[in-house]
Amino acid sequence: MEEKILITGANGQLGSVLANALIERYGSNSIIATDLKHKIKFKCYFEVLDATDYDGIQTLVRKYSITQIYHMAAILSATGEKRPHLTWDVNMETLFNVLEVSRLNNIKKVFFPSSIAVYGVDVPKTNAPQNFATTPNTVYGISKVAGELWANYYFNRYGLDVRSIRYPGVIGYQSLPGGGTTDYAVEIYHKAINQEPYECFLNKTTTLPMIYMEDAIRATIELMEAPLKNLSVRTSYNVAGLSFNPEELASSIKEILPEFQISYKPDFRQDIANSWPESIDDSKARKDWNWKPKYNLKKISADMIKNLQLHYNYKTQKS
């Protein structure tokens, strides 16, 4: 049976790259990208969709005979603290809609993105365990914990195959930052390429788990394609790439762009970062579906700078 894959939040930082990866893997006719607006020209079907609209999701599921849903629509951590009620409403209502539509229409698989934001201040800072109390102090983190529990419930109660990853901070050149606490690690490269100093909103020694976009997308697809019998985690898998702090990241950039300058002015996002672990234990993912990252910090900086230089040179030539 041909797969028909629906993606919500396809304009987003992760969703946009995931959509293109799925198009390349399954073909243009198998992918239906959706979002609130048609901002990106995908080489596949695109439908304007508000994921808070239950009937809208169901209409598309039936129109295209959808077999899988990647639910990427969400409000992220830093933005969420500014608008907590909206964040809770959007993040939870969209997930409920996807889970219910999937249950009632016999969807084979659903992907739900979780986050290291599920952890709270009590979590061990080093190698945060897969199975540890999740007591977040952000609305975004609370919504992700709730989402993990609902994913587990729908699997156990209805047999709906919901799969999930707790993403660390995601670094990529393909899109602009989307309002997350770890987005400094994307913003910093744009400043460096444009020969501008960067004022970091975290202090220089704040170590956080990160993952390069290519690794994050590969992990997502590998998990979704893993045999059901191999999976032992029905909440959300820890997935690690690497850990570093802003000072270490700036040093890796200076190895390529020695004139780059950085300063530090922590804001409310520092408190969010302080509640998260410095590294996470992803041994379950490695055992269950052979997860392994490919990118270290040196490779990330080289690839980010190369691709962003091409991007900005192209924009200059077009203007």
Side-chain angles (χ1 to χ4, degrees):
M1 181 181 178
E2 181 186 9
E3 298 290 352
K4 289 288 186 178
I5 300 172
L6 180 74
I7 306 168
T8 69
N11 287 339
Q13 188 177 5
L14 262 170
S16 58
V17 186
L18 176 63
N20 286 324
L22 290 172
I23 290 167
E24 184 175 341
R25 190 164 188 84
Y26 290 96
S28 298
N29 290 332
S30 293
I31 310 302
I32 299 86
T34 73
D35 213 311
L36 293 170
K37 295 180 181 179
H38 196 174
K39 290 183 179 180
I40 300 174
K41 292 182 179 180
F42 294 107
K43 294 179 180 178
C44 67
Y45 298 106
F46 186 92
E47 297 274 0
V48 173
L49 174 68
D50 182 345
T52 63
D53 178 7
Y54 176 92
D55 291 334
I57 297 174
Q58 178 143 276
T59 296
L60 293 183
V61 164
R62 292 176 175 176
K63 175 181 177 180
Y64 290 98
S65 300
I66 296 299
T67 61
Q68 298 184 37
I69 298 178
Y70 286 73
H71 177 49
M72 309 305 289
I75 295 176
L76 301 183
S77 59
T79 303
E81 291 307 287
K82 297 175 182 177
R83 305 189 69 182
H85 287 94
L86 176 65
T87 299
W88 175 258
D89 289 344
V90 169
N91 288 4
M92 296 315 301
E93 186 176 358
T94 59
L95 177 60
F96 272 127
N97 288 345
V98 167
L99 292 175
E100 272 296 284
V101 169
S102 298
R103 176 179 74 87
L104 295 172
N105 290 274
N106 298 313
I107 300 297
K108 290 196 304 183
K109 298 177 190 175
V110 174
F111 180 78
F112 161 69
S114 190
S115 165
I116 60 167
V118 299
Y119 289 116
V121 292
D122 294 330
V123 69
K125 285 293 184 181
T126 303
N127 289 330
Q130 172 70 55
N131 297 317
F132 191 85
T134 47
T135 55
N137 61 358
T138 64
V139 177
Y140 175 69
I142 293 168
S143 72
K144 290 302 182 183
V145 170
E148 289 188 11
L149 295 176
W150 280 112
N152 185 62
Y153 175 83
Y154 268 76
F155 175 75
N156 289 318
R157 177 70 175 81
Y158 302 114
L160 180 62
D161 188 3
V162 188
R163 305 183 181 195
S164 180
I165 284 174
R166 287 175 183 160
Y167 290 114
V170 179
I171 306 167
Y173 59 84
Q174 295 91 338
S175 58
L176 294 173
T181 300
T182 55
D183 277 345
Y184 88 86
V186 179
E187 292 175 352
I188 191 172
Y189 287 104
H190 287 268
K191 291 291 187 179
I193 292 299
N194 287 295
Q195 299 179 326
E196 298 174 5
Y198 180 59
E199 184 178 85
C200 185
F201 53 76
L202 300 179
N203 71 49
K204 63 183 181 180
T205 59
T206 303
T207 299
L208 291 171
M210 298 284 186
I211 191 168
Y212 197 45
M213 181 68 78
E214 276 68 11
D215 276 340
I217 297 302
R218 181 171 55 82
T220 304
I221 295 174
E222 285 180 358
L223 171 59
M224 287 294 277
E225 293 182 348
L228 176 63
K229 61 182 176 62
N230 290 2
L231 304 183
S232 63
V233 176
R234 301 311 317 195
T235 49
S236 189
Y237 276 96
N238 280 0
V239 166
L242 70 167
S243 293
F244 57 79
N245 61 44
E247 187 175 42
E248 290 167 333
L249 177 54
S251 294
S252 77
I253 292 172
K254 288 179 181 180
E255 288 181 11
I256 304 170
L257 302 171
E259 301 302 316
F260 173 65
Q261 296 181 353
I262 186 171
S263 59
Y264 301 91
K265 188 178 180 181
D267 63 15
F268 73 98
R269 288 166 284 195
Q270 184 65 54
D271 290 334
I272 298 175
N274 289 345
S275 71
W276 293 349
E278 296 180 357
S279 60
I280 53 179
D281 175 13
D282 63 357
S283 55
K284 284 280 189 181
R286 291 173 182 261
K287 177 178 180 293
D288 289 0
W289 40 280
N290 299 316
W291 158 247
K292 188 177 181 181
K294 293 182 178 179
Y295 283 83
N296 59 25
L297 185 53
K298 185 173 183 177
K299 288 178 68 176
I300 289 173
S301 286
D303 202 54
M304 284 289 290
I305 290 170
K306 179 187 74 173
N307 282 285
L308 286 178
Q309 283 175 333
L310 291 172
H311 168 74
Y312 282 109
N313 286 340
Y314 176 77
K315 285 184 68 176
T316 300
Q317 292 166 9
K318 292 282 285 186
S319 60

